[in-house]
Amino acid sequence: MTGTARVQEWVSRPERGSLPAIRLGIWAARRMGRPVARLLLYPLCLYFCLSSPAAGRASRAYLRRVLGRAPGLADQFRHFLTFARCLLDRVFLLGDRTEDFEVTVHGEQILRDIEARGGGCILIGAHFGSFEVARAIGRKRRRDLPITLLMYEENAQKIRAALSAINPSLATEVIGLGRADSLIAVAERLRAGHFIGVLADRNVQGKDLARYPFLGAEAAFPQGPFRIAMMLQSPAVLMAGMYRGGKRYEVHFELLAEPAARPLDAAPWLDTVMRRYVARLEHYCRQAPYNWFNFYDFWA
Amino acid sequence: MTADIATQSAEESSLAQLIVETLNLDQHAAAIDPEAPLHGEGLGLDSIDMLEISLTVAQRYGVKLRADGEGNAEIFRSLRSLNAYIQAHRES
């Protein structure tokens, strides 16, 4: 497979469901309710275990690193199941009639500081656990976090449509990177105090990458999200929302960097901050191994 | 002054110079076709480059490029259109 084909494959994979299928899934999940829908995830995951050998290989390669032992089929199944459960919970986390999730938040003071100061932040996540759990935090505090999601244009369209299918009244905005003024829009949202959510573990365009040791071998991470924080002198805040079983989520916020002024030399600044991000990501992967949702060869 | 359509005016060439310096482009400022697209194909700038340009333009010319403008596709179309916008809005 060529590099481009591989990139294409996993750019489209995570949101590969067609919109009617997504709508059907949302409708069915709501009709059945969370407990019944969760039961259905077992046969569904079994099917995916059998029908997606490439994802299975990627899962086992990751699990071997993070668990430090040869993973069994049960581990792989649990990995797929955790992914499916987080996907399903999106519907309930983002919906209006929500189940009562038990969300523990660590580092909430960081959010309070940013809100008090205004000017927002770059909220840096990963395809790890749940990013949508941020909305449950907003609800718990009786004030939605003003989140704007930043993503590649290819995904932005679908996410926008899926979000509005789940809950048209959601305040979440989605900015796609396809326009010349995409990041000028981000700068304006920041000034309005928005939290700019971006997942910084996948590198789609194959440029502006930096390699860091991650779970025992080097992997490439995109510099873009960190560069944006640097250019706009915005705090870079790590968010890790781990699914902990049942109705429990555990969310951690950590301040990765707070550029008071734009660094004169970008390279060392980016290097320091990205190294920190990757190290913390590894830390959380070890805490909640089955929350890692990159089902392709991450170390390629 | 009647300029060739593909020739930079004096203002365009100083903007081209600024862009090349800001982005460390591997290209001579004078070689930028004033009508070629800046973003995507053409000069091949991505959205981070465009953000960098907007920050530099704000600093150098005091012109704020905004995201809500409907005319942005036109403003960012080329060196020529960006320069036209800057000249129309610059301070002093």
Side-chain angles (χ1 to χ4, degrees):
Chain A
M1 200 188 313
T2 67
T4 323
R6 192 166 56 223
V7 166
Q8 283 305 328
E9 177 194 319
W10 57 261
V11 169
S12 52
R13 186 191 294 152
E15 339 291 350
R16 74 177 161 186
S18 66
L19 205 53
I22 292 172
R23 288 219 174 88
L24 179 69
I26 294 165
W27 175 84
R30 281 189 177 146
R31 275 305 284 240
M32 289 183 273
R34 191 168 175 269
V36 176
R38 277 165 70 90
L39 284 179
L40 275 186
L41 296 181
Y42 285 87
L44 208 64
C45 282
L46 191 62
Y47 169 74
F48 275 113
C49 266
L50 298 173
S51 70
S52 315
R57 267 194 305 277
S59 161
R60 288 192 301 278
Y62 160 79
L63 289 172
R64 188 170 299 120
R65 290 181 182 283
V66 74
L67 300 175
R69 60 171 170 83
L73 223 60
D75 293 307
Q76 187 192 321
F77 183 77
R78 184 173 169 193
H79 195 192
F80 279 35
L81 188 62
T82 309
F83 175 55
R85 285 175 167 172
C86 283
L87 264 184
L88 174 67
D89 277 351
R90 273 190 185 181
V91 175
F92 300 103
L93 284 164
L94 297 174
D96 266 340
R97 297 169 302 154
T98 54
E99 308 260 332
D100 296 313
F101 289 95
E102 294 163 27
V103 183
T104 346
V105 185
H106 301 263
E108 200 177 349
Q109 186 59 39
I110 293 170
L111 301 186
R112 279 195 287 269
D113 290 347
I114 286 164
E115 282 173 329
R117 202 169 7 156
C121 70
I122 309 287
L123 196 55
I124 298 183
H127 293 80
F128 178 78
S130 173
F131 201 80
E132 291 71 25
V133 75
R135 179 160 151 86
I137 297 171
R139 201 161 27 226
K140 206 166 128 191
R141 306 165 76 221
R142 300 187 183 289
R143 192 176 145 192
D144 273 354
L145 293 178
I147 289 182
T148 293
L149 299 173
L150 180 65
M151 59 185 69
Y152 291 103
E153 195 65 44
E154 304 87 302
N155 290 337
Q157 314 278 347
K158 274 191 180 167
I159 292 284
R160 237 178 247 129
L163 285 177
S164 81
I166 292 176
N167 188 349
S169 71
L170 276 183
T172 307
E173 288 180 68
V174 180
I175 295 180
L177 277 168
R179 294 167 50 113
D181 58 0
S182 296
L183 291 178
I184 300 174
V186 165
E188 288 173 5
R189 296 301 189 288
L190 278 174
R191 275 197 291 278
H194 278 219
F195 290 50
I196 310 295
V198 49
L199 306 184
D201 52 341
R202 286 187 194 171
N203 55 83
V204 172
Q205 284 161 351
K207 61 178 234 183
D208 217 9
L209 300 178
R211 297 185 73 86
Y212 291 99
F214 178 65
L215 294 170
E218 281 196 344
F221 292 84
Q223 293 183 311
F226 305 93
R227 199 181 284 281
I228 294 167
M230 179 190 78
M231 290 168 70
L232 296 173
Q233 289 154 45
S234 174
V237 177
L238 172 73
M239 177 182 151
M242 293 175 281
Y243 179 56
R244 289 304 211 174
K247 292 186 167 189
R248 295 183 307 279
Y249 280 87
E250 181 184 328
V251 187
H252 291 257
F253 293 101
E254 288 185 25
L255 190 62
L256 289 171
E258 200 167 14
R262 183 162 176 175
L264 285 176
D265 197 352
W269 187 90
L270 286 171
D271 184 60
T272 308
V273 181
M274 288 186 71
R275 212 168 273 284
R276 198 172 295 153
Y277 166 74
V278 175
R280 296 311 290 166
L281 195 56
E282 175 171 318
H283 165 82
Y284 288 115
C285 281
R286 291 194 192 283
Q287 283 205 351
Y290 299 93
N291 276 254
W292 177 254
F293 301 147
N294 288 306
F295 295 98
Y296 64 93
D297 182 9
F298 195 77
W299 289 267
Chain B
M1 192 179 79
T2 53
D4 189 299
I5 197 112
T7 313
Q8 298 173 1
S9 71
E11 286 159 347
E12 283 164 0
S13 93
S14 73
L15 178 60
Q17 192 62 43
L18 185 66
I19 290 173
V20 166
E21 279 169 16
T22 304
L23 302 178
N24 265 324
L25 294 184
D26 206 8
Q27 179 167 19
H28 284 293
I32 295 178
D33 177 354
E35 293 286 350
L38 293 171
H39 181 244
E41 80 283 32
L43 206 51
L45 304 184
D46 62 18
S47 39
I48 289 195
D49 295 328
M50 300 308 285
L51 174 63
E52 193 75 271
I53 290 176
S54 80
L55 294 173
T56 307
V57 162
Q59 202 177 39
R60 182 69 63 94
Y61 299 96
V63 176
K64 274 238 160 61
L65 295 160
R66 302 162 62 93
D68 51 12
E70 272 299 299
N72 272 0
E74 169 57 22
I75 294 166
F76 291 113
R77 193 174 50 77
S78 65
L79 179 67
R80 180 149 292 161
S81 59
L82 179 61
N83 181 64
Y85 182 82
I86 291 170
Q87 298 309 326
H89 293 83
R90 68 185 293 180
E91 294 163 354
S92 79

